[in-house]
Amino acid sequence: AAKADGRGVHRFFRSELLVGARSRKQLEDDLRTALAQDQFHVAYQPVVSTKSERIVGYEALLRWDHPTRGAVSPAEFIPVAEECGLIEAIGEWVLRTACMEAAGWPHDVRVAVNVSPIQFANPALPTVVTSALAKSGIRPARLELEITEGVFLNDNASSEHMFKMLKGLGVRLALDDFGTGYSSLGYLKKAPFDKIKIDQSFVKGAAIAGNRNAAIIKAIVTLADTLGMETTAEGVEVQDEIALIRDLGCSHIQGYVYGKPARAAEVLRQLAAADGMATASGYRVSRSQ
Ligand code: C2E
Ligand code: MG
Ligand code: MG
Ligand code: MG
């Protein structure tokens, strides 16, 4: 399926399919070099409140400028990094970079960072997060960790412990790509998520009359509301979908309609241009970008 770009187990098969064994080994070697030679950067995509239509945060998305292949998609190289044991070092670099760059933003703008199930299974994660927060000086509540259902494939007791540790640090937790994978409702009961991110496959076509995706989004929002969790609709691309998503009750929107992932310097320009850095009320987005 198109959305089997999932994490962990699923990705393993996908990366094996996409990348032949020899070029996969090459990719692995190149990934090792990439970290050392500074070929990565983080791009940031705005997350907008449906109520205020203001930017409340950004999702950090890893970018790799390969010296000969050009931009390589994280959907291609993250699975390889997970398989060859590089995801921890790369993930730590992303966390540190994202927190440092977010430290230059207004203090009410959050940053969300994707965390691989492999990082989540490592008892060192709370220390890595604590160190990123300390070095950057941002408040823990400004950092949101995005995890996928892949984390529930791990041993139960240790993932429950990890949830407690992370919540204990004061960071926020979001369940990414909800609706793909197993989507067991038991996960929502077990884990202290602050937010559910509704996968973009449900947003596609939701604005077309008679499309079932709208009903599914509504059901997820109702569930999230009951559990006291926020909801972000991912992959909102067109103007028509904004009103629909808002009417379905989603608290946040993320998608090309408000902005593609952009470099840190561009984010600073966006925030400065938005409404003036000084207002406490938020940062207006321009829909023209
Ligand atoms: P994700 O966490 O679900 O991130 C959202 C993806 O949707 C991003 O793709 C983003 O560019 C894309 N997107 C956002 N708005 C739209 C839209 O309106 N239309 C369409 N078609 N796409 C949209 P990207 O950057 O290619 O990342 C793909 C996946 O790679 C991410 O999915 C995430 O699972 C993974 N990833 C990216 N950065 C990291 C990272 O630092 N660590 C880990 N572990 N995974 C990462
Ligand atoms: Mg994400
Ligand atoms: Mg997602
Ligand atoms: Mg995704």
Side-chain angles (χ1 to χ4, degrees):
K3 193 53 212 191
D5 88 276
R7 311 305 183 277
V9 183
H10 300 290
R11 278 190 160 171
F12 177 79
F13 297 110
R14 186 166 185 256
S15 67
E16 288 296 307
L17 286 175
L18 283 183
V19 191
R22 265 189 69 213
S23 62
R24 194 181 162 287
K25 178 73 177 68
Q26 184 65 56
L27 194 58
E28 227 179 276
D29 293 343
D30 289 358
L31 270 174
R32 279 177 226 283
T33 318
L35 249 189
Q37 297 188 355
D38 225 24
Q39 292 167 8
F40 290 122
H41 73 269
V42 179
Y44 299 91
Q45 185 179 34
V47 178
V48 173
S49 158
T50 48
K51 258 200 199 121
S52 66
E53 286 203 81
R54 282 158 192 273
I55 297 171
V56 296
Y58 286 85
E59 178 175 4
L61 293 157
L62 183 57
R63 294 291 177 261
W64 180 17
D65 308 304
H66 188 283
T68 55
R69 296 177 60 189
V72 184
S73 164
E76 184 178 348
F77 71 79
I78 294 282
V80 175
E82 285 173 335
E83 288 156 38
C84 72
L86 275 172
I87 192 64
E88 261 114 351
I90 294 175
E92 183 170 350
W93 181 87
V94 175
L95 255 171
R96 258 196 269 139
T97 305
C99 288
M100 287 303 281
E101 292 183 327
W105 305 344
H107 291 190
D108 53 352
V109 177
R110 296 195 172 112
V111 66
V113 178
N114 293 284
V115 171
S116 156
I118 292 173
Q119 290 173 273
F120 194 85
N122 188 331
L125 180 61
T127 311
V128 170
V129 171
T130 303
S131 149
L133 289 170
K135 281 191 181 120
S136 64
I138 69 166
R139 277 182 297 115
R142 287 181 63 195
L143 176 62
E144 188 165 83
L145 302 179
E146 296 194 0
I147 57 186
T148 57
E149 289 168 307
V151 304
F152 296 105
L153 298 174
N154 302 328
D155 162 45
N156 243 325
S158 56
S159 65
E160 241 168 77
H161 181 66
M162 184 57 77
F163 279 120
K164 281 207 190 93
M165 295 284 287
L166 295 173
K167 281 313 290 178
L169 297 179
V171 300
R172 289 164 51 94
L173 298 175
L175 181 55
D176 204 353
D177 300 341
F178 188 76
T180 64
Y182 302 100
S183 300
S184 158
L185 298 181
Y187 299 155
L188 294 178
K189 196 177 75 179
K190 265 189 281 184
F193 292 112
D194 298 283
K195 174 185 272 187
I196 295 174
K197 299 192 76 177
I198 303 170
D199 191 73
Q200 46 181 278
S201 55
F202 297 105
V203 173
K204 300 248 143 40
I208 299 164
N211 190 292
R212 291 178 172 200
N213 283 346
I216 294 171
I217 294 172
K218 190 159 184 143
I220 298 173
V221 169
T222 304
L223 184 65
D225 282 350
T226 307
L227 296 169
M229 298 172 186
E230 297 176 343
T231 41
T232 296
E234 294 193 271
V236 176
E237 289 183 358
V238 296
Q239 201 68 38
D240 286 358
E241 291 164 348
I242 295 177
L244 174 80
I245 294 295
R246 190 193 50 225
D247 294 346
L248 289 172
C250 284
S251 59
H252 297 86
I253 285 178
Q254 184 181 343
Y256 294 167
V257 73
Y258 285 125
K260 292 196 169 176
R263 284 185 178 264
E266 169 58 24
V267 169
L268 285 178
R269 275 192 292 274
Q270 273 176 22
L271 287 169
D275 222 359
M277 303 273 286
T279 53
S281 49
Y283 308 90
R284 197 184 300 280
V285 282
S286 122
R287 287 190 194 161
S288 55
Q289 47 185 341

